[in-house]
Amino acid sequence: MENDSWRHWRAFTALMTPAFAVASRPGLASEPGFAPWISAGEGFADAARRFVEAANGSFGAGTGGPVPRAAGQADRSAAALDAARRFADALREQFANFRMPWNPGSAARDPFGAAGAPSVAYAPALGATREHQQRAERLADAWRGMDEAQTRLQRLWSDALQEAANGFAHDLAGKPPASHDPAALREVYDRWIEAAETAYARTASSETFCQALADFVNASSAWRKEQQASIEHWAKQFDLPTRSEVNSLVQRLKAVETALAAALAAAPAARTREAPVARESAGAREAAGARKSTGIRKSASVRKSTSKKPAKSKR
Amino acid sequence: MTPEAAFAALAAARDVVAGCSPKDVVWRSGKVTLYRYRPLAPARADQGVRRVPLLIVYALVNRPYMMDLQEDRSLIRGLLGAGEDVYLIDWGYPDGADRYTTLADYVESQLHGCVRWILDARRLASLTLLGVCQGGVLSLCYAALHPENVRNLITMVTPVDFHTSKDLLSKWARRIDVAALVAQGNVAGDTLNQLFLSLMPFRLTQQKYVDLLSGGAERARIENFMRVEQWIFDSPDQAAVAFGEFVRWCYQENRLVKNQLELGGRHVDLRTLAVPVLNLMGKRDHLVPPESSAALRYAIASKDYTALEFDLGHIGMYVSSRAQREVPAAIAGWLAAR
């Protein structure tokens, strides 16, 4: 890698993803849709910069060589660890509160805001629109349930990030990078990954995380169910086939296939096999003749006896 | 490697093709295809009568071409080089019409169909099964249900005890409402991809790409990476019912190692499984912890049981250079003694 790994990585991602380049265009920050992300990005960058600066002051100089341990080293280490803690907190808060702007509870259009979901006061379901209203309410409830489950899961993710950042800072404090050359930077990066995976593995295997993940998957299933019901309702209005109807046909076909297979099994003489495809190998062609033969298979007992021999010819 | 060089190298490798060894389609049924690989060289006279065929049963959750990715990363090529007669099952890509396909259908209809076809074709009583990952579970079920058709059984990175302490996938799966999950149809391959990435998100979504850019722009290296990348994300959707059964019976209820599994109304009694068994495990396998595979030793009746643990991860068991040197040789050596 070249010296400036971060610059290279950004250049590469800009090549790979035009959106990266677009997002960096001036003026986009003024658009409300992008503002929360840009604001969050700036907050993250600020916290990261302060951490790196403090870490440089403590763990190593920007000149490329190891820093001699001077009298103020303890103070600088404490400052670096403090910066690491603030960085970890920033990471946690950023990700814990992130919400997609189209999610319920994001009425303020601030995906990083903590604004709670507005309570939906359901009107009594009466009259000709009763079923439609209730269907819509069920769909909204399911969506809300999924959103809440996702938020709980994100909180745990952000906890893991916080723990990872703290672990990484302590790791750096214990063994500062010897220099800022590419190899040393790469080693630091690998240590970050190791710290992150270790923290994540601890969180991910916890009972809390397992339950939160299951809650999210189950809430997603509930939402899909309501969504499908809604789509099927509209499909029927236009006389379009629905998944339920196709399922019914597939089940009937499967029942017929099962009955046919049972009938064929009960009548071995009538047993037929699917024809080998045209491009069969020599072995397959050989098999066509073999299938016409009978009594060529050894009994289980014979096989057992021969299997004891390390027969070179038949192995 | 500069960003421009990386971009150019990746662009040049975008259409790489995985799979290298010549093979023939010998049987098809529904979406299942049975391949037979052509020998690398004509059999020598001193090799005697043709060998017992070896049928590779791959997992349902990924594509089987990982076994034959490229010339220098091919377990199949290694087996062919050792003189094995290799067949491979390709389960295909299930779609909405397959949502009611059951595990019993996969084992008793599709796998059994492949085995019967080979045995009839080769006029043999039995063959060697090589089950890989989830395919190993299917192979164990088949061998327990049809021991007369299985001469040797090889399991590779195969989960047996789904409740070992390091099995993160199992911990995640246990509280999921599987019936609700599969009630809406097949489970998307993309969903499974996300799940697998979530097991080690920092390594699998960041570090491996940094590793890629940290190395040189040699064509072979980039193409190798792209083939593996293609395989990782070329994940078939999972037939809803079979997937639900697998998660519930194996990951949630751990029926296989408890000897409580039934398929199509028949008990999959591992305790009656007495054929020679070779169990291959990856010491650094994050998907199937070696402890999970090692449980096979005490679940079966076979007196001829061999376990080999390699210092490799799950994918490394198929495509690492170390695996190329060690795994086919271990399989061929074990088979040669039987």
Side-chain angles (χ1 to χ4, degrees):
Chain A
M1 273 184 134
E2 303 292 329
N3 271 354
D4 191 346
S5 306
W6 173 239
R7 182 176 62 78
H8 273 232
W9 177 253
R10 288 188 64 187
F12 178 75
T13 51
L15 283 169
M16 291 293 287
T17 317
F20 272 72
V22 171
S24 65
R25 278 208 318 256
L28 277 180
S30 61
E31 295 177 28
F34 287 92
W37 274 283
I38 292 174
S39 169
E42 287 173 349
F44 172 84
D46 183 54
R49 189 168 49 248
R50 278 189 282 123
F51 169 61
V52 171
E53 284 169 358
N56 276 342
S58 172
F59 306 138
T63 55
V67 177
R69 300 220 169 235
Q73 180 70 19
D75 290 342
R76 287 201 294 275
S77 291
L81 288 176
D82 183 59
R85 184 188 53 75
R86 280 189 274 117
F87 177 53
D89 289 346
L91 271 180
R92 182 179 194 277
E93 293 310 314
Q94 292 271 322
F95 288 93
N97 293 326
F98 179 84
R99 300 168 82 87
M100 291 298 181
W102 50 84
N103 276 14
S106 301
R109 313 298 294 171
D110 178 2
F112 295 92
S119 61
V120 178
Y122 290 155
L126 300 170
T129 60
R130 172 191 157 79
E131 295 306 312
H132 303 293
Q133 179 185 336
Q134 289 200 328
R135 191 175 56 253
E137 287 171 359
R138 283 195 301 272
L139 186 59
D141 283 344
W143 179 256
R144 188 174 301 101
M146 187 170 67
D147 183 55
E148 289 168 359
Q150 185 187 6
T151 302
R152 286 196 295 276
L153 195 57
Q154 278 180 212
R155 192 77 190 171
L156 295 170
W157 255 94
S158 64
D159 286 347
L161 277 173
Q162 183 187 38
E163 186 185 334
N166 280 325
F168 178 54
H170 280 91
D171 178 44
L172 278 185
K175 189 185 172 192
S179 70
H180 284 178
D181 64 29
L185 285 177
R186 178 57 209 264
E187 188 196 331
V188 169
Y189 172 76
D190 288 343
R191 286 163 67 186
W192 155 246
I193 294 291
E194 184 62 35
E197 286 293 2
T198 302
Y200 174 74
R202 193 176 298 118
T203 299
S205 58
S206 69
E207 292 289 309
T208 311
F209 187 93
C210 294
Q211 187 61 55
L213 182 65
D215 289 345
F216 174 66
V217 173
N218 296 341
S220 302
S221 299
W223 173 68
R224 280 190 70 194
K225 178 185 171 190
E226 295 302 333
Q227 189 189 41
Q228 279 189 344
S230 187
I231 289 171
E232 291 215 349
H233 168 79
W234 290 110
K236 286 174 188 168
Q237 306 306 308
F238 296 99
D239 197 27
L240 296 172
T242 66
R243 185 69 234 182
S244 297
E245 291 163 354
V246 174
N247 287 347
S248 173
L249 292 173
V250 171
Q251 282 180 306
R252 285 187 219 176
L253 180 61
K254 187 171 167 58
V256 170
E257 286 177 339
T258 304
L260 178 63
L264 288 173
R271 186 178 174 194
T272 58
R273 286 191 179 277
E274 293 187 43
V277 296
R279 290 192 302 134
E280 64 184 6
S281 66
R285 285 194 294 276
E286 174 186 308
R291 283 201 305 279
K292 293 174 185 167
S293 307
T294 56
I296 54 175
R297 293 182 56 227
K298 297 176 189 172
S299 69
S301 60
V302 171
R303 185 189 65 76
K304 188 177 178 184
S305 62
T306 54
S307 70
K308 290 176 180 171
K309 301 176 187 172
K312 290 177 184 173
S313 61
K314 284 294 289 180
R315 183 196 61 69
Chain B
M1 181 161 50
T2 64
E4 291 75 16
F7 189 79
L10 289 170
R14 68 174 278 145
D15 296 321
V16 292
V17 177
C20 62
S21 304
K23 59 184 184 294
D24 298 295
V25 177
V26 293
W27 189 72
R28 273 201 181 111
S29 176
K31 291 190 173 67
V32 172
T33 305
L34 177 64
Y35 292 100
R36 184 185 189 189
Y37 282 83
R38 296 178 188 169
L40 292 183
R44 299 193 311 269
D46 62 352
Q47 285 180 322
V49 195
R50 54 170 120 62
R51 297 186 166 203
V52 172
L54 185 153
L55 173 60
I56 298 177
V57 184
Y58 200 73
L60 302 169
V61 294
N62 278 112
R63 302 287 297 144
Y65 55 77
M66 184 52 135
M67 310 304 292
D68 185 41
L69 200 65
Q70 59 190 44
E71 280 199 10
D72 59 342
R73 313 261 169 181
S74 168
L75 176 73
I76 285 175
R77 203 169 177 79
L79 292 170
L80 292 171
E84 299 301 332
D85 183 7
V86 181
Y87 291 80
L88 172 80
I89 300 176
D90 180 345
W91 302 108
Y93 291 87
D95 58 29
D98 303 300
R99 68 182 292 166
Y100 296 110
T101 300
T102 63
L103 277 183
D105 292 331
Y106 277 117
V107 172
E108 291 287 44
S109 176
Q110 300 183 5
L111 173 52
H112 187 53
C114 291
V115 171
R116 286 305 327 153
W117 195 90
I118 295 169
L119 295 182
D120 287 353
R122 304 291 304 278
R123 304 185 188 191
L124 292 169
S126 57
L127 48 62
T128 295
L129 276 185
L130 167 51
V132 181
C133 191
Q134 183 190 30
V137 175
L138 303 181
S139 300
L140 279 167
C141 293
Y142 185 80
L145 293 170
H146 301 277
E148 71 281 4
N149 291 340
V150 181
R151 185 182 181 104
N152 306 296
L153 175 63
I154 303 167
T155 53
M156 189 169 172
V157 289
T158 295
V160 176
D161 182 351
F162 287 78
H163 285 183
T164 56
S165 62
K166 291 179 183 169
D167 195 335
L168 187 54
L169 212 48
S170 165
K171 288 179 181 175
W172 287 355
R174 279 181 231 175
R175 292 175 172 87
I176 288 174
D177 183 347
V178 181
L181 177 67
V182 301
Q184 274 72 59
N186 292 347
V187 175
D190 281 344
T191 302
L192 294 180
N193 287 339
Q194 293 299 325
L195 180 72
F196 294 138
L197 291 179
S198 299
L199 291 171
M200 289 200 301
F202 298 93
R203 289 195 205 292
L204 300 179
T205 66
Q206 297 176 22
Q207 191 183 34
K208 78 168 191 177
Y209 298 105
V210 173
D211 285 343
L212 171 70
L213 295 175
S214 300
E218 304 87 8
R219 183 175 168 182
R221 190 180 80 89
I222 300 291
E223 287 186 351
N224 179 25
F225 181 91
M226 291 301 285
R227 287 192 186 97
V228 177
E229 191 78 345
Q230 176 192 345
W231 173 81
I232 288 172
F233 295 106
D234 180 13
S235 301
D237 294 347
Q238 295 300 293
V241 171
F243 182 83
E245 289 173 344
F246 190 75
V247 173
R248 187 164 61 253
W249 293 344
C250 293
Y251 278 101
Q252 294 186 335
E253 299 172 356
N254 208 13
R255 289 189 189 184
L256 187 63
V257 76
K258 291 179 180 172
N259 211 33
Q260 295 171 348
L261 185 61
E262 285 190 6
L263 286 183
R266 295 180 63 195
H267 181 207
V268 179
D269 192 353
L270 287 188
R271 287 176 196 156
T272 64
L273 191 58
V275 301
V277 172
L278 173 62
N279 192 8
L280 306 172
M281 296 166 266
K283 191 176 180 181
R284 290 184 277 127
D285 193 333
H286 73 289
L287 279 171
V288 180
E291 296 83 1
S292 173
S293 302
L296 182 60
R297 174 69 191 96
Y298 303 102
I300 58 176
S302 178
K303 300 272 189 280
D304 183 355
Y305 173 88
T306 307
L308 295 177
E309 190 175 84
F310 297 85
D311 189 16
L312 295 166
H314 194 79
I315 296 176
M317 285 288 284
Y318 324 130
V319 295
S320 69
S321 53
R322 182 172 184 176
Q324 309 312 307
R325 291 193 304 272
E326 297 179 7
V327 176
I331 292 173
W334 183 81
L335 285 173
R338 281 159 188 84

PDB file of all heavy atoms in Angstrom, chain A residues 213-233:
ATOM      1  N   LEU A 213     -31.844 -10.363  17.917  1.00  0.00           N
ATOM      2  CA  LEU A 213     -31.800 -10.776  16.515  1.00  0.00           C
ATOM      3  C   LEU A 213     -33.049 -11.579  16.152  1.00  0.00           C
ATOM      4  O   LEU A 213     -33.666 -11.360  15.098  1.00  0.00           O
ATOM      5  CB  LEU A 213     -30.541 -11.604  16.257  1.00  0.00           C
ATOM      6  CG  LEU A 213     -30.330 -12.059  14.816  1.00  0.00           C
ATOM      7  CD1 LEU A 213     -30.114 -10.866  13.894  1.00  0.00           C
ATOM      8  CD2 LEU A 213     -29.139 -13.006  14.709  1.00  0.00           C
ATOM      9  N   ALA A 214     -33.412 -12.502  17.039  1.00  0.00           N
ATOM     10  CA  ALA A 214     -34.617 -13.300  16.783  1.00  0.00           C
ATOM     11  C   ALA A 214     -35.857 -12.407  16.730  1.00  0.00           C
ATOM     12  O   ALA A 214     -36.730 -12.586  15.870  1.00  0.00           O
ATOM     13  CB  ALA A 214     -34.772 -14.371  17.858  1.00  0.00           C
ATOM     14  N   ASP A 215     -35.921 -11.436  17.626  1.00  0.00           N
ATOM     15  CA  ASP A 215     -37.060 -10.509  17.617  1.00  0.00           C
ATOM     16  C   ASP A 215     -37.148  -9.776  16.282  1.00  0.00           C
ATOM     17  O   ASP A 215     -38.235  -9.581  15.730  1.00  0.00           O
ATOM     18  CB  ASP A 215     -36.926  -9.485  18.749  1.00  0.00           C
ATOM     19  CG  ASP A 215     -37.159 -10.109  20.115  1.00  0.00           C
ATOM     20  OD1 ASP A 215     -37.686 -11.237  20.174  1.00  0.00           O
ATOM     21  OD2 ASP A 215     -36.798  -9.464  21.124  1.00  0.00           O
ATOM     22  N   PHE A 216     -35.993  -9.367  15.779  1.00  0.00           N
ATOM     23  CA  PHE A 216     -35.984  -8.643  14.504  1.00  0.00           C
ATOM     24  C   PHE A 216     -36.439  -9.549  13.357  1.00  0.00           C
ATOM     25  O   PHE A 216     -37.262  -9.160  12.523  1.00  0.00           O
ATOM     26  CB  PHE A 216     -34.586  -8.086  14.227  1.00  0.00           C
ATOM     27  CG  PHE A 216     -34.463  -7.446  12.876  1.00  0.00           C
ATOM     28  CD1 PHE A 216     -35.173  -6.292  12.574  1.00  0.00           C
ATOM     29  CD2 PHE A 216     -33.659  -8.006  11.897  1.00  0.00           C
ATOM     30  CE1 PHE A 216     -35.080  -5.702  11.315  1.00  0.00           C
ATOM     31  CE2 PHE A 216     -33.557  -7.429  10.644  1.00  0.00           C
ATOM     32  CZ  PHE A 216     -34.265  -6.276  10.355  1.00  0.00           C
ATOM     33  N   VAL A 217     -35.894 -10.771  13.321  1.00  0.00           N
ATOM     34  CA  VAL A 217     -36.282 -11.700  12.250  1.00  0.00           C
ATOM     35  C   VAL A 217     -37.775 -12.009  12.348  1.00  0.00           C
ATOM     36  O   VAL A 217     -38.500 -12.011  11.342  1.00  0.00           O
ATOM     37  CB  VAL A 217     -35.443 -12.995  12.331  1.00  0.00           C
ATOM     38  CG1 VAL A 217     -35.950 -14.032  11.339  1.00  0.00           C
ATOM     39  CG2 VAL A 217     -33.979 -12.696  12.065  1.00  0.00           C
ATOM     40  N   ASN A 218     -38.242 -12.249  13.560  1.00  0.00           N
ATOM     41  CA  ASN A 218     -39.662 -12.582  13.734  1.00  0.00           C
ATOM     42  C   ASN A 218     -40.556 -11.395  13.367  1.00  0.00           C
ATOM     43  O   ASN A 218     -41.616 -11.569  12.751  1.00  0.00           O
ATOM     44  CB  ASN A 218     -39.921 -13.025  15.176  1.00  0.00           C
ATOM     45  CG  ASN A 218     -39.176 -14.308  15.518  1.00  0.00           C
ATOM     46  OD1 ASN A 218     -38.762 -15.043  14.618  1.00  0.00           O
ATOM     47  ND2 ASN A 218     -38.992 -14.579  16.795  1.00  0.00           N
ATOM     48  N   ALA A 219     -40.126 -10.195  13.734  1.00  0.00           N
ATOM     49  CA  ALA A 219     -40.908  -9.008  13.375  1.00  0.00           C
ATOM     50  C   ALA A 219     -40.905  -8.808  11.860  1.00  0.00           C
ATOM     51  O   ALA A 219     -41.920  -8.399  11.278  1.00  0.00           O
ATOM     52  CB  ALA A 219     -40.332  -7.777  14.078  1.00  0.00           C
ATOM     53  N   SER A 220     -39.787  -9.117  11.223  1.00  0.00           N
ATOM     54  CA  SER A 220     -39.724  -9.018   9.762  1.00  0.00           C
ATOM     55  C   SER A 220     -40.686 -10.005   9.113  1.00  0.00           C
ATOM     56  O   SER A 220     -41.349  -9.686   8.123  1.00  0.00           O
ATOM     57  CB  SER A 220     -38.305  -9.299   9.263  1.00  0.00           C
ATOM     58  OG  SER A 220     -37.398  -8.420   9.842  1.00  0.00           O
ATOM     59  N   SER A 221     -40.747 -11.198   9.691  1.00  0.00           N
ATOM     60  CA  SER A 221     -41.678 -12.207   9.153  1.00  0.00           C
ATOM     61  C   SER A 221     -43.114 -11.719   9.284  1.00  0.00           C
ATOM     62  O   SER A 221     -43.926 -11.882   8.358  1.00  0.00           O
ATOM     63  CB  SER A 221     -41.517 -13.538   9.901  1.00  0.00           C
ATOM     64  OG  SER A 221     -40.223 -14.045   9.746  1.00  0.00           O
ATOM     65  N   ALA A 222     -43.428 -11.121  10.419  1.00  0.00           N
ATOM     66  CA  ALA A 222     -44.789 -10.624  10.640  1.00  0.00           C
ATOM     67  C   ALA A 222     -45.123  -9.516   9.650  1.00  0.00           C
ATOM     68  O   ALA A 222     -46.226  -9.457   9.094  1.00  0.00           O
ATOM     69  CB  ALA A 222     -44.925 -10.113  12.077  1.00  0.00           C
ATOM     70  N   TRP A 223     -44.151  -8.659   9.398  1.00  0.00           N
ATOM     71  CA  TRP A 223     -44.383  -7.573   8.435  1.00  0.00           C
ATOM     72  C   TRP A 223     -44.573  -8.123   7.017  1.00  0.00           C
ATOM     73  O   TRP A 223     -45.456  -7.696   6.285  1.00  0.00           O
ATOM     74  CB  TRP A 223     -43.211  -6.591   8.470  1.00  0.00           C
ATOM     75  CG  TRP A 223     -43.325  -5.558   7.396  1.00  0.00           C
ATOM     76  CD1 TRP A 223     -44.247  -4.556   7.303  1.00  0.00           C
ATOM     77  CD2 TRP A 223     -42.506  -5.447   6.230  1.00  0.00           C
ATOM     78  NE1 TRP A 223     -44.050  -3.825   6.156  1.00  0.00           N
ATOM     79  CE2 TRP A 223     -42.979  -4.349   5.483  1.00  0.00           C
ATOM     80  CE3 TRP A 223     -41.414  -6.172   5.753  1.00  0.00           C
ATOM     81  CZ2 TRP A 223     -42.402  -3.960   4.277  1.00  0.00           C
ATOM     82  CZ3 TRP A 223     -40.834  -5.780   4.555  1.00  0.00           C
ATOM     83  CH2 TRP A 223     -41.329  -4.681   3.837  1.00  0.00           C
ATOM     84  N   ARG A 224     -43.736  -9.092   6.638  1.00  0.00           N
ATOM     85  CA  ARG A 224     -43.884  -9.697   5.301  1.00  0.00           C
ATOM     86  C   ARG A 224     -45.243 -10.340   5.144  1.00  0.00           C
ATOM     87  O   ARG A 224     -45.860 -10.289   4.086  1.00  0.00           O
ATOM     88  CB  ARG A 224     -42.790 -10.746   5.079  1.00  0.00           C
ATOM     89  CG  ARG A 224     -41.465 -10.163   4.684  1.00  0.00           C
ATOM     90  CD  ARG A 224     -40.516 -11.261   4.256  1.00  0.00           C
ATOM     91  NE  ARG A 224     -40.919 -11.864   2.983  1.00  0.00           N
ATOM     92  CZ  ARG A 224     -40.423 -13.005   2.510  1.00  0.00           C
ATOM     93  NH1 ARG A 224     -39.531 -13.659   3.208  1.00  0.00           N
ATOM     94  NH2 ARG A 224     -40.817 -13.493   1.357  1.00  0.00           N
ATOM     95  N   LYS A 225     -45.715 -10.956   6.208  1.00  0.00           N
ATOM     96  CA  LYS A 225     -47.025 -11.609   6.151  1.00  0.00           C
ATOM     97  C   LYS A 225     -48.118 -10.573   5.860  1.00  0.00           C
ATOM     98  O   LYS A 225     -48.975 -10.777   4.990  1.00  0.00           O
ATOM     99  CB  LYS A 225     -47.301 -12.308   7.484  1.00  0.00           C
ATOM    100  CG  LYS A 225     -48.645 -12.986   7.561  1.00  0.00           C
ATOM    101  CD  LYS A 225     -48.870 -13.539   8.958  1.00  0.00           C
ATOM    102  CE  LYS A 225     -50.308 -14.038   9.102  1.00  0.00           C
ATOM    103  NZ  LYS A 225     -50.624 -14.358  10.498  1.00  0.00           N
ATOM    104  N   GLU A 226     -48.084  -9.471   6.581  1.00  0.00           N
ATOM    105  CA  GLU A 226     -49.095  -8.437   6.372  1.00  0.00           C
ATOM    106  C   GLU A 226     -48.941  -7.785   4.999  1.00  0.00           C
ATOM    107  O   GLU A 226     -49.923  -7.453   4.338  1.00  0.00           O
ATOM    108  CB  GLU A 226     -49.000  -7.378   7.474  1.00  0.00           C
ATOM    109  CG  GLU A 226     -49.328  -7.897   8.866  1.00  0.00           C
ATOM    110  CD  GLU A 226     -50.722  -8.512   8.956  1.00  0.00           C
ATOM    111  OE1 GLU A 226     -51.615  -8.118   8.169  1.00  0.00           O
ATOM    112  OE2 GLU A 226     -50.916  -9.403   9.802  1.00  0.00           O
ATOM    113  N   GLN A 227     -47.706  -7.620   4.602  1.00  0.00           N
ATOM    114  CA  GLN A 227     -47.458  -7.014   3.293  1.00  0.00           C
ATOM    115  C   GLN A 227     -47.999  -7.914   2.176  1.00  0.00           C
ATOM    116  O   GLN A 227     -48.640  -7.445   1.233  1.00  0.00           O
ATOM    117  CB  GLN A 227     -45.957  -6.805   3.122  1.00  0.00           C
ATOM    118  CG  GLN A 227     -45.592  -5.982   1.907  1.00  0.00           C
ATOM    119  CD  GLN A 227     -44.090  -6.002   1.681  1.00  0.00           C
ATOM    120  OE1 GLN A 227     -43.452  -7.042   1.822  1.00  0.00           O
ATOM    121  NE2 GLN A 227     -43.533  -4.863   1.337  1.00  0.00           N
ATOM    122  N   GLN A 228     -47.753  -9.211   2.309  1.00  0.00           N
ATOM    123  CA  GLN A 228     -48.248 -10.133   1.291  1.00  0.00           C
ATOM    124  C   GLN A 228     -49.769 -10.123   1.247  1.00  0.00           C
ATOM    125  O   GLN A 228     -50.374 -10.162   0.165  1.00  0.00           O
ATOM    126  CB  GLN A 228     -47.739 -11.545   1.574  1.00  0.00           C
ATOM    127  CG  GLN A 228     -46.310 -11.761   1.097  1.00  0.00           C
ATOM    128  CD  GLN A 228     -45.872 -13.212   1.183  1.00  0.00           C
ATOM    129  OE1 GLN A 228     -46.507 -14.012   1.860  1.00  0.00           O
ATOM    130  NE2 GLN A 228     -44.784 -13.542   0.524  1.00  0.00           N
ATOM    131  N   ALA A 229     -50.382 -10.087   2.414  1.00  0.00           N
ATOM    132  CA  ALA A 229     -51.846 -10.065   2.456  1.00  0.00           C
ATOM    133  C   ALA A 229     -52.376  -8.819   1.748  1.00  0.00           C
ATOM    134  O   ALA A 229     -53.362  -8.876   0.997  1.00  0.00           O
ATOM    135  CB  ALA A 229     -52.322 -10.097   3.912  1.00  0.00           C
ATOM    136  N   SER A 230     -51.701  -7.719   1.963  1.00  0.00           N
ATOM    137  CA  SER A 230     -52.119  -6.472   1.335  1.00  0.00           C
ATOM    138  C   SER A 230     -51.939  -6.540  -0.183  1.00  0.00           C
ATOM    139  O   SER A 230     -52.822  -6.146  -0.946  1.00  0.00           O
ATOM    140  CB  SER A 230     -51.295  -5.325   1.923  1.00  0.00           C
ATOM    141  OG  SER A 230     -51.768  -4.105   1.456  1.00  0.00           O
ATOM    142  N   ILE A 231     -50.805  -7.069  -0.605  1.00  0.00           N
ATOM    143  CA  ILE A 231     -50.548  -7.168  -2.049  1.00  0.00           C
ATOM    144  C   ILE A 231     -51.557  -8.122  -2.696  1.00  0.00           C
ATOM    145  O   ILE A 231     -52.076  -7.859  -3.786  1.00  0.00           O
ATOM    146  CB  ILE A 231     -49.097  -7.648  -2.288  1.00  0.00           C
ATOM    147  CG1 ILE A 231     -48.126  -6.518  -1.924  1.00  0.00           C
ATOM    148  CG2 ILE A 231     -48.890  -8.071  -3.730  1.00  0.00           C
ATOM    149  CD1 ILE A 231     -46.673  -6.924  -1.898  1.00  0.00           C
ATOM    150  N   GLU A 232     -51.856  -9.205  -2.014  1.00  0.00           N
ATOM    151  CA  GLU A 232     -52.821 -10.162  -2.577  1.00  0.00           C
ATOM    152  C   GLU A 232     -54.195  -9.514  -2.715  1.00  0.00           C
ATOM    153  O   GLU A 232     -54.921  -9.770  -3.675  1.00  0.00           O
ATOM    154  CB  GLU A 232     -52.897 -11.410  -1.690  1.00  0.00           C
ATOM    155  CG  GLU A 232     -51.634 -12.244  -1.739  1.00  0.00           C
ATOM    156  CD  GLU A 232     -51.903 -13.737  -1.639  1.00  0.00           C
ATOM    157  OE1 GLU A 232     -53.044 -14.125  -1.315  1.00  0.00           O
ATOM    158  OE2 GLU A 232     -50.959 -14.510  -1.904  1.00  0.00           O
ATOM    159  N   HIS A 233     -54.541  -8.684  -1.751  1.00  0.00           N
ATOM    160  CA  HIS A 233     -55.839  -8.004  -1.827  1.00  0.00           C
ATOM    161  C   HIS A 233     -55.913  -7.177  -3.101  1.00  0.00           C
ATOM    162  O   HIS A 233     -56.903  -7.237  -3.841  1.00  0.00           O
ATOM    163  CB  HIS A 233     -56.029  -7.106  -0.604  1.00  0.00           C
ATOM    164  CG  HIS A 233     -57.177  -6.171  -0.745  1.00  0.00           C
ATOM    165  ND1 HIS A 233     -58.487  -6.581  -0.552  1.00  0.00           N
ATOM    166  CD2 HIS A 233     -57.239  -4.863  -1.102  1.00  0.00           C
ATOM    167  CE1 HIS A 233     -59.295  -5.547  -0.780  1.00  0.00           C
ATOM    168  NE2 HIS A 233     -58.566  -4.497  -1.103  1.00  0.00           N
TER     169      HIS A 233
END
